[in-house]
Amino acid sequence: MKETLALSVGVVVLLWVGWRLLARYVHKTPGNDVISLMPEALLKPKPLLEKEELHLYNLIRMAVQDHYLVLAHVPLWSFVEVGAEGKTRWSVLRYLALKTVDFALVHPGSREVQHIVLLTENEKGHVEGAQRHHEIQKVMESAGIRATILSVRSRYTVERLAQILGVDETEL
């Protein structure tokens, strides 16, 4: 129950932050703070996760439920603090701006992301995906956050995921 509430609060916070960022970049006319949509623009909800991602999310959640909260599609800038000023800070933030991790494992006490999971379509992955993973792994290494890559095409058990993610009770 607490995990569901924490996950819901986390998703709401992420959506609110995303909305605020979007509002900054939308062209505003002077004196008009309301975003107006074109009448022909059709907006409708879409799933946050694909079927394979949702299945893996549920397995990960079961594997780490006693250790972490699991959040999906988390932007890097929301959990990596940039310890620099001026141009250096803005350069790093621009680099992080549109990069997201597929799943973030958050310690419920410290509220810090301690482990991230990146997903690949197949065992070898695509060139673009491999480059993205490499860039994110470099950032995670610098921040001291563990990173794991999983394939959405592979079959995992809860026990195997617990081992892969380092929360296997026999290892503790």
Side-chain angles (χ1 to χ4, degrees):
M1 179 72 177
K2 289 181 182 180
E3 290 175 345
T4 304
L5 178 61
L7 179 61
S8 298
V9 169
V11 169
V12 169
V13 168
L14 286 174
L15 290 173
W16 180 80
V17 168
W19 179 256
R20 296 290 298 164
L21 284 174
L22 179 64
R24 278 190 197 172
Y25 293 105
V26 172
H27 177 67
K28 296 180 184 179
T29 57
N32 184 8
D33 291 334
V34 178
I35 297 174
S36 57
L37 296 173
M38 304 289 271
E40 59 273 4
L42 176 64
L43 300 177
K44 60 182 182 177
K46 71 175 193 172
L48 179 64
L49 300 171
E50 299 294 326
K51 286 181 182 180
E52 296 89 1
E53 291 175 323
L54 181 60
H55 178 72
L56 198 49
Y57 169 84
N58 284 325
L59 289 174
I60 290 171
R61 204 171 64 93
M62 286 189 286
V64 302
Q65 67 185 347
D66 293 334
H67 305 278
Y68 298 112
L69 304 173
V70 183
L71 302 178
H73 298 296
V74 183
L76 285 181
W77 59 262
S78 69
F79 66 89
V80 175
E81 188 172 335
V82 179
E85 298 296 327
K87 289 182 182 180
T88 303
R89 177 180 174 78
W90 286 110
S91 177
V92 173
L93 287 173
R94 268 193 303 276
Y95 178 78
L96 299 177
L98 298 178
K99 292 179 176 54
T100 62
V101 299
D102 295 302
F103 302 119
L105 307 183
V106 181
H107 187 276
S110 69
R111 304 173 323 274
E112 292 178 351
V113 173
Q114 293 186 341
H115 196 143
I116 61 111
V117 176
L118 301 171
L119 302 180
T120 183
E121 290 294 320
N122 55 40
E123 292 301 322
K124 295 181 181 177
H126 296 37
V127 174
E128 302 85 27
Q131 178 64 27
R132 174 185 164 265
H133 289 163
H134 180 70
E135 291 172 357
I136 292 173
Q137 284 177 308
K138 284 188 340 189
V139 172
M140 293 301 100
E141 186 177 314
S142 295
I145 298 171
R146 188 170 168 207
T148 299
I149 298 175
L150 298 175
S151 170
V152 294
R153 304 281 185 233
S154 296
R155 299 282 182 214
Y156 298 100
T157 64
V158 172
E159 294 78 16
R160 179 67 183 129
L161 282 172
Q163 290 174 341
I164 291 169
L165 298 173
V167 293
D168 185 19
E169 295 299 327
T170 60
E171 294 179 6
L172 297 178

